[in-house]
Amino acid sequence: MGIIEKIKEIEAEMARTQKNKATEYHLGQLKAKIAKLRTQLLEPPKGSSGAGEGFEVTKYGHGRVALIGFPSVGKSTLLTLLTGTHSEAASYEFTTLTCIPGIIHYNDTKIQLLDLPGIIEGASEGKGRGRQVIAVSKSSDIVLMVLDASKSEGHRQILTKELEAVGLRLNKRPPQIYFKKKKTGGISFNSTAPLTHVDEKLCYQILHEYKIHNAEILFREDATVDDLIDVIEGNRKYMKCIYVYNKIDVIGIDDVDKLARQPNSVVISCNLKLNLDRLLAKMWEAMGLVRVYTKPQGQQPDFTDPVVLSADRAGCSVEDFCNQIHRSLVKDVKYVLVWGTSARHFPQHCGLSHVLQDEDVVQIVKKKEKEDGGRGRFKSHSNAPARISDREKKAPLKT
């Protein structure tokens, strides 16, 4: 029996099992088994050498956004409108067969937009190049899920289910669970919050399913069984996702209003070029990019070419800003002067741990090199004699 057949068999058993207090331990074990099998499904086959077939796209710019959706929902048209890069669009499905990149120039930054082939139900099992599409989307900063506004809401649930099956968690934060394997000592179970979904017995059963008998686990929130399995697996990626409803020109205004009020959703029309500026603003807000402008000493700030930082990639502190310019710059920094929303007064003297915000201006003050016999122009010691009597007497003034 193959892995896919085993997963379907366990899913069928979960569907016919009643959910109550008596069966929650059994359902927890079944969920752990499915998670293990799905992890095996993503691993490359044994004996295979070299990299698998995928999309070769070099990372470029300050951020990467992936377009995911069913065939013929308007992904290629959206890429052409936003970036100017031509991506073939036609009235038949699967027009795009490979990954087509484009660059969005927005707010002095460059954002890479990837048009991926449409995915279908069963993509997590490898149908229709689904694995390659999902692998590229894992390397992105955010995902734009393009949906057809005239179709049913089930499309969104199908796509979310396919992405969650391969370890992508959309618009979720990592669970507050501390987990560490040990060599000896058994399982140490603790919690700092009251638990309603998981108890000690269920936690032990799930850990034994993974053949973990020595570990330390601490719950800092009321987490579910799925959260615990995600932490044990350790290969989950938590990403932001924007749901883009295209083709709003073919539905009524009441339906458009209903879709627009959903969280993390934007309604657009590529045909009539409606609401594209709102989509770009929402995308910029979700990516959380921080532009920092440099100011040389004694000169005006340079507002043409900002240093772009991101909390998700490297961080937004002064130290991260210095590393972005050059790795060796951090050890030469004495302090920095900051103007902008992150400063309490202008300019503010800051250290390396200060967190910068969007459109801040930074001036770096370096340490001065030590001269022979003193620091800078102020000497730390004098060459004159220590005793007053040994000093040379000046000649008397002529009167």
Side-chain angles (χ1 to χ4, degrees), residues 176-304:
Q176 296 293 309
I177 301 173
Y178 172 77
F179 173 73
K180 184 181 179 182
K181 289 183 184 179
K182 296 189 297 185
K183 291 183 179 179
T184 55
I187 295 172
S188 170
F189 179 89
N190 290 297
S191 65
T192 58
L195 302 179
T196 58
H197 306 288
V198 182
D199 60 3
E200 194 169 349
K201 182 183 174 184
L202 179 58
C203 180
Y204 280 20
Q205 285 189 343
I206 291 171
L207 288 171
H208 288 167
E209 185 66 39
Y210 281 93
K211 296 179 181 175
I212 298 171
H213 305 290
N214 299 291
E216 188 178 343
I217 189 157
L218 171 65
F219 284 81
R220 294 193 179 97
E221 64 178 4
D222 186 16
T224 61
V225 179
D226 297 316
D227 293 336
L228 175 60
I229 292 169
D230 288 348
V231 171
I232 295 170
E233 284 283 347
N235 59 355
R236 306 298 190 235
K237 180 151 189 199
Y238 297 85
M239 298 183 68
K240 292 178 182 175
C241 176
I242 299 173
Y243 303 100
V244 183
Y245 289 93
N246 189 20
K247 305 181 184 178
I248 58 169
D249 50 327
V250 298
I251 61 174
I253 190 68
D254 294 336
D255 296 328
V256 173
D257 184 61
K258 183 182 175 183
L259 293 173
R261 291 181 184 278
Q262 292 183 5
N264 304 308
S265 300
V266 181
V267 290
I268 64 165
S269 172
C270 291
N271 186 24
L272 301 178
K273 300 180 183 178
L274 296 175
N275 211 25
L276 295 178
D277 52 347
R278 173 66 186 145
L279 172 61
L280 286 172
K282 188 88 174 176
M283 195 165 63
W284 173 264
E285 183 187 339
M287 293 185 78
L289 297 178
V290 174
R291 295 163 293 169
V292 180
Y293 299 98
T294 55
K295 180 188 178 300
Q297 289 186 5
Q299 299 178 31
Q300 291 295 318
D302 179 17
F303 290 112
T304 56

Side-chain angles (χ1 to χ4, degrees), residues 368-381:
K368 291 185 179 177
E369 295 181 4
K370 289 186 179 182
E371 295 181 2
D372 293 335
R375 288 175 286 184
R377 43 200 188 96
F378 303 103
K379 291 188 176 181
S380 58
H381 62 276

Side-chain angles (χ1 to χ4, degrees), residues 164-177:
E164 288 200 343
V166 294
L168 274 177
R169 299 290 178 263
L170 303 179
N171 295 325
K172 292 181 181 177
R173 59 177 181 81
Q176 296 293 309
I177 301 173

Side-chain angles (χ1 to χ4, degrees), residues 107 284 289-293 340-342 356-360:
N107 285 349
W284 173 264
L289 297 178
V290 174
R291 295 163 293 169
V292 180
Y293 299 98
T341 52
S342 68
L356 299 167
Q357 294 180 10
D358 194 25
E359 294 188 314
D360 278 359

